[in-house]
Amino acid sequence: MTSRFTFGADEHIFVEVSEEMSLEAFFKTLSMTNAIREAGIDGITEICPANASFQIKFDPDVIHPDDLMTRLQQIEETAAQADPVLNTRIIEIPVYYQDPWTHETLMRFRERHQDPEATDIEYAARINGYDSVQDFIAAHSGAPWFVSMVGFVSGLPFLYQMVDRDRQIQVPKYLRPRTDTPRLTVGYGGCFSCVYSVRGAGGYQMFGVTPMPIYDPTQRTSYLSDFMVFFKPGDIVKWKPVDRAEYDRCLSEVEANTYQPRIRDVQFSLDDFNRDIDGTNAKLMEALYAG
């Protein structure tokens, strides 16, 4: 997997690790951006990782673009030899699937959807071959997900399903984007799930909502006091289906500022995962719910 390096105007270098998303591409992107950050190269002002690529912003008055390009290509050679092991965390995120708020919203925008006669989750279940919405929810929430990047709007995570490629859920975005999406909507587009951190426009299919804030610029939320954005690339997420009563209970704790998400530190090996996907996922679940 050889990366493609290109200049972006006078202050950016864009590095495409792969043309398609995969955990291998994600790990290389993460390894390279971590190595660049640790190198402390004078002149680099920003490092922005994405699903299978990243972009570097730099000051050309501090470092010559050609010199920086050479340093990055040298780092790629070193990063390619690194063990694909990640010390990270696994997080449980409650989801109220088929909630009334996203349902009201999606019904307002049916003329922009591929199937105006079905809800988003009914459509997603059908085109992915599931017999029922409940079977689809079980598939969406049954295996963990990698946070491969954070962005588009502040705090919004893109999540990649940790299953065999032929079991991955795929759903197209709306034919035309909506002008409204409820805050904390759990959405889906292409092969990525996401959580809308703020209310606004969007084109991903809407499956439900979480009561758990993931972005707080005031940093008053207890678990966001250190940093306003909750997710970071490399996090592993387990969706937990909840009913209205459980959603309301979690929301009450959020409003009282006593809610604490379930989080456990874990070590993830890409080689172990590729050898035994379901076995690795089972161990991650054991770590999440141990103790």
Side-chain angles (χ1 to χ4, degrees), residues 2-276:
T2 302
S3 302
R4 182 169 64 90
F5 295 77
T6 55
F7 287 110
D10 297 328
E11 298 180 345
H12 296 86
I13 293 178
F14 176 72
V15 184
E16 183 182 57
V17 172
S18 175
E19 292 184 352
E20 65 177 20
M21 174 59 196
S22 67
L23 288 181
E24 286 77 11
F26 163 76
F27 261 77
K28 184 174 179 181
T29 296
L30 190 65
S31 177
M32 287 186 67
T33 52
N34 285 342
I36 293 166
R37 190 174 294 107
E38 292 167 2
I41 301 171
D42 288 340
I44 289 181
T45 58
E46 189 172 355
I47 302 170
C48 183
N51 297 315
S53 62
F54 62 93
Q55 184 165 274
I56 302 295
K57 184 178 181 181
F58 64 97
D59 184 347
D61 292 330
V62 176
I63 184 169
H64 192 282
D66 291 338
D67 293 338
L68 178 56
M69 180 72 80
T70 299
R71 289 291 305 275
L72 296 181
Q73 290 170 338
Q74 291 171 344
I75 287 174
E76 179 189 23
E77 295 178 6
T78 303
Q81 301 171 10
D83 292 334
V85 175
L86 178 66
N87 291 313
T88 185
R89 57 183 184 166
I90 184 168
I91 307 155
E92 180 186 79
I93 306 295
V95 182
Y96 180 18
Y97 290 93
Q98 296 182 287
D99 66 282
W101 307 286
T102 59
H103 180 79
E104 184 277 331
T105 303
L106 66 87
M107 294 305 293
R108 284 192 277 121
F109 293 96
R110 295 327 287 163
E111 80 283 357
R112 305 185 183 207
H113 195 272
Q114 292 86 349
D115 187 353
E117 303 302 319
T119 65
D120 291 7
I121 201 167
E122 288 170 346
Y123 169 71
R126 176 172 58 80
I127 67 171
N128 281 277
Y130 291 97
D131 293 333
S132 69
V133 167
Q134 290 306 313
D135 288 342
F136 178 83
I137 292 172
H140 185 264
S141 62
W145 297 69
F146 251 109
V147 176
S148 57
M149 64 173 284
V150 179
F152 182 69
V153 295
S154 298
L156 184 150
F158 289 82
L159 302 108
Y160 184 76
Q161 194 177 22
M162 297 167 60
V163 294
D164 295 303
R165 184 63 66 94
D166 60 1
R167 291 162 53 196
Q168 286 180 345
I169 296 167
Q170 295 194 46
V171 190
K173 295 186 288 186
Y174 273 45
L175 297 174
R176 289 187 295 128
R178 300 176 304 275
T179 56
D180 189 22
T181 307
R183 174 175 171 264
L184 298 179
T185 290
V186 176
Y188 211 103
C191 65
F192 290 100
S193 203
C194 78
V195 182
Y196 283 80
S197 55
V198 297
R199 183 177 182 180
Y204 277 26
Q205 309 285 336
M206 296 182 290
F207 295 162
V209 294
T210 177
M212 177 183 153
I214 61 169
Y215 170 66
D216 179 7
T218 70
Q219 296 182 239
R220 293 172 184 162
T221 304
S222 59
Y223 55 87
L224 295 175
S225 60
D226 292 336
F227 191 57
M228 67 181 71
V229 172
F230 180 72
F231 289 110
K232 53 189 176 183
D235 281 342
I236 298 173
V237 167
K238 172 64 173 64
W239 308 116
K240 178 190 176 184
V242 298
D243 59 16
R244 178 61 186 268
E246 179 69 6
Y247 173 87
D248 287 344
R249 185 189 68 78
C250 292
L251 191 60
S252 295
E253 292 182 5
V254 168
E255 292 171 348
N257 209 20
T258 60
Y259 183 81
Q260 289 295 327
R262 179 185 291 269
I263 303 173
R264 298 289 186 271
D265 293 330
V266 293
Q267 185 177 81
F268 178 84
S269 165
L270 181 60
D271 290 340
D272 290 346
F273 179 79
N274 286 333
R275 280 192 293 267
D276 183 3

